Amino acid sequence: PAAPVHVPGTNRPPSAARVLPLNAMIRHILLLNIDEGAEDRVISELFATLEKCHETVDGFMGMKAGKNLFPQTSGKGFNYACTFDFLNAGARDMFLDSKEWTGVYEQAMPLVSGGEDGVAVIDIEI
């Protein structure tokens, strides 16, 4: 099984690779509360950088990102979302341990309102 991977600034539990079948595709869902004062250009550059990561990380199938379009206020302050599709939990862990992700993480966190409270992550099998 894959070894646990540490995401900077979090206390993420050990890898789901220990409990999922090796062939289980993963959708990694990231919700962000980006500061309303953040420039659209900076946010677009952040997402473009993330999208390029699938070219360099094996098993990273692709991602989508954008602003929350849901008209009701049930979003708990999360105004942006990203979904990342991975071949399996091991590929997800390789991405989360990559220098590409670390760089994007460091670029994104100053844009997030509330620090770690402005971030939520879940994974589902697809």
Side-chain angles (χ1 to χ4, degrees):
V5 178
H6 175 70
V7 177
T10 69
N11 292 317
R12 195 162 75 77
S15 169
R18 296 172 185 265
V19 295
L20 290 171
L22 292 176
N23 61 349
M25 290 187 67
I26 298 294
R27 178 158 293 151
H28 185 73
I29 303 166
L30 172 66
L31 303 175
L32 300 167
N33 181 358
I34 294 184
D35 189 291
E36 293 296 331
E39 295 180 34
D40 289 341
R41 175 190 56 80
V42 174
I43 297 167
S44 293
E45 288 171 1
L46 175 70
F47 291 147
T49 301
L50 269 173
E51 196 163 357
K52 288 180 186 174
C53 288
H54 87 275
E55 298 169 3
T56 59
V57 178
D58 288 341
F60 181 3
M61 311 304 286
M63 60 89 60
K64 297 288 181 193
K67 189 167 179 69
N68 180 13
L69 302 176
F70 193 62
Q72 297 179 9
T73 59
S74 63
K76 307 284 186 197
F78 296 109
N79 52 4
Y80 284 84
C82 304
T83 62
F84 307 84
D85 291 342
F86 295 99
L87 187 60
N88 54 38
R92 179 216 43 219
D93 291 348
M94 284 177 28
F95 169 69
L96 293 175
D97 197 33
S98 71
K99 66 181 189 300
E100 290 87 352
W101 169 248
T102 301
V104 170
Y105 181 89
E106 290 170 357
Q107 182 184 357
M109 286 313 293
L111 303 175
V112 174
S113 293
E116 292 295 324
D117 289 337
V119 178
V121 180
I122 63 169
D123 286 350
I124 61 172
E125 185 177 346
I126 56 172

